[in-house]
Amino acid sequence: MTEVVVDGRTLSYGDVVAVAHHGAQVALADGVLSRLAGERAVVDDVVDRQVPTYGLTTGLGARSSYALPRAELDAFSVRTVRGRANAVGDPLPVPVVRAALVARVNGLAGGGSGVRPEIVRLLVELLNARVHPVIPEVGSIGASDLCQLAHVGLVVIGEGSAEYDGERLDGATALRRAGLAPARLGPKDGHVLCSASPLAAGLGALALHETAALLTLAQAVTALTYEGFRANTSPLDARVLALRPAPGQSRAATELLSLLTGGELTDPRNARRVQDPVSLRCAAQVHGTGYAALAFTDAALLPELNGCGDNPVVLPGGVVGGGMQGVSSAGDIREEPPGPGEILSSGNFHTPALALAYDTLALALTQTAAVSAERMRRLLEPAVSGLPANLSPYGPERSGFAPLVKTAQALVAEVRMLSVPVCTDPRQGADAVEDDSTNAALGARRLTTMLGRLRQLLAVEAVVAAQAVDLAAPAALGRGPEFLYRAIRKVVPTLTEDRPQGVDVETVSRDILGSDDVRSTLNSWAKEAT
């Protein structure tokens, strides 16, 4: 994908990934700039008529009752940006910055902000010229990403810092080298640049895209473990699952059986045991919960990614608020003519559903991680697996994979720590006005770390499962396990003598589980039956 067309309504997770990770150019859809110009006319009209309007003709937060002098409105926009650029910590990675920028451009393109069209054009130009504002990683409490987005606003006005061509520069220099000029902020523009939750949305889009891929990889790695363990697949039978149709479990079971197609295990009579450990027997239930959590998060994130999170919002005349029904003096219902447009207070910046969804997804990923580590441990136990102790072909005088259990447990511990809910943290506000927040951006940011650890954990299970397949030597593998096994053996040899295995895990995590080709192939097989 070389270009993503932004219209404010149809931005997908794949679009965000294309812009963030693959450098796709961004273009505004036809009609966006004219829509923005119409809304800006409403802002100008309100300013001219001196209508008390939050953040436009009045102060912000606890100062919302303070009326701003007309001559101060432009300067107030600049002060709004400067005064809120208070984030701290390491800079966010460039892909995250790009994801946040395209999410904000999309939110603005959909309307409701009243921003000057020139501001949106410049944000698009920043993306396409690869001028990336330096945004510190800590600063959002989920009541808009104010203190982090203000760092974008600084670059827009030629201040702050930006990364350009691999070099960190002051904002003015970065713009100049890219052939761009700073924007002049008018009334409301500074607040718009700091408003909404595009960091939480952009990060979330990247996280959901990766979560979907990792859940499929978890299914494929589980199928490989099934082959090494010679697992019983009767718990995946559709008739069994129909007796208690828990969310997602039928999808997970169907995908596992699809990946196992071509092997012996689709017939439960080829299993080694009648009843397997829960980590194998209930894989469909656990992974199904992951799919259910993913769907729940998707329902919360899409409106944030493709909606207006501004406060206040601008409703142009003749579109929203025009043609309203009224009551005549005689009591008859009559149609009012379209109004001149309005600016109304909004709670759309608040993200409790999104924060709750991110917490839910984090807990589901922790369940997935926990059973992966347990499946790996079961493969090492001869009394359970029927395989040599620690999967060493040379017996107890070799360590085999036993030390790798510690690495797996360390990864699970990190994932579990990161799953602590953040949406229930104590709130504090500005003089009892801003008295609730959600931590949605933090919820999204920790998902990135969790997903990296989960991929490493799945790589541990995959390396051990491939060794189990070597020792179990089944006559035929299912298509998914065989594909994954062959890919692993191209980069990691069978373990004979003890050797450092951290490098093996990292190689499988990066080159196999991180491969777009591997992911695409396994995904096509997993989804074939569903």
Side-chain angles (χ1 to χ4, degrees), residues 451-511:
L451 291 164
R453 294 293 183 246
L454 178 56
R455 193 169 91 182
Q456 290 171 319
L457 183 58
L458 291 173
V460 171
E461 182 185 355
V463 167
V464 174
Q467 181 83 358
V469 167
D470 286 332
L471 298 174
L477 296 175
R479 57 184 178 177
E482 181 175 16
F483 175 77
L484 189 55
Y485 170 81
R486 292 186 182 281
I488 292 170
R489 283 291 171 256
K490 287 180 180 179
V491 295
V492 173
T494 301
L495 182 71
T496 51
E497 291 291 345
D498 291 345
R499 67 169 185 260
Q501 296 180 60
V503 65
D504 294 342
V505 172
E506 293 283 17
T507 298
V508 170
S509 176
R510 181 186 63 249
D511 298 341

Side-chain angles (χ1 to χ4, degrees), residues 323-515:
M324 299 290 289
Q325 286 188 333
V327 182
S328 70
S329 58
D332 299 324
I333 301 296
R334 58 181 174 76
E335 285 289 323
E336 297 283 359
E342 298 178 85
I343 301 181
L344 302 180
S345 181
S346 163
N348 287 350
F349 64 90
H350 207 36
T351 53
L354 187 60
L356 176 63
Y358 287 157
D359 281 349
T360 301
L361 188 59
L363 292 168
L365 291 172
T366 303
Q367 291 182 330
T368 301
V371 293
S372 174
E374 290 308 308
R375 285 192 299 266
M376 176 261 194
R377 290 179 60 193
R378 298 295 84 77
L379 287 172
L380 304 184
E381 299 171 356
V384 180
S385 69
L387 299 170
N390 300 322
L391 300 185
S392 171
Y394 291 116
E397 69 273 14
R398 307 296 203 281
S399 296
F401 289 88
L404 205 52
V405 172
K406 296 179 175 60
T407 301
Q409 290 303 314
L411 289 167
V412 171
E414 289 207 23
V415 170
R416 185 182 298 117
M417 174 191 69
L418 290 165
S419 72
V420 174
V422 299
C423 72
T424 55
D425 277 2
R427 272 74 162 161
Q428 65 82 32
D431 292 347
V433 175
E434 297 168 356
D435 57 353
D436 194 35
S437 57
T438 69
N439 289 323
L442 173 59
R445 180 159 57 89
R446 60 79 192 274
L447 286 175
T448 301
T449 306
M450 290 184 76
L451 291 164
R453 294 293 183 246
L454 178 56
R455 193 169 91 182
Q456 290 171 319
L457 183 58
L458 291 173
V460 171
E461 182 185 355
V463 167
V464 174
Q467 181 83 358
V469 167
D470 286 332
L471 298 174
L477 296 175
R479 57 184 178 177
E482 181 175 16
F483 175 77
L484 189 55
Y485 170 81
R486 292 186 182 281
I488 292 170
R489 283 291 171 256
K490 287 180 180 179
V491 295
V492 173
T494 301
L495 182 71
T496 51
E497 291 291 345
D498 291 345
R499 67 169 185 260
Q501 296 180 60
V503 65
D504 294 342
V505 172
E506 293 283 17
T507 298
V508 170
S509 176
R510 181 186 63 249
D511 298 341
I512 307 302
L513 302 187
S515 163

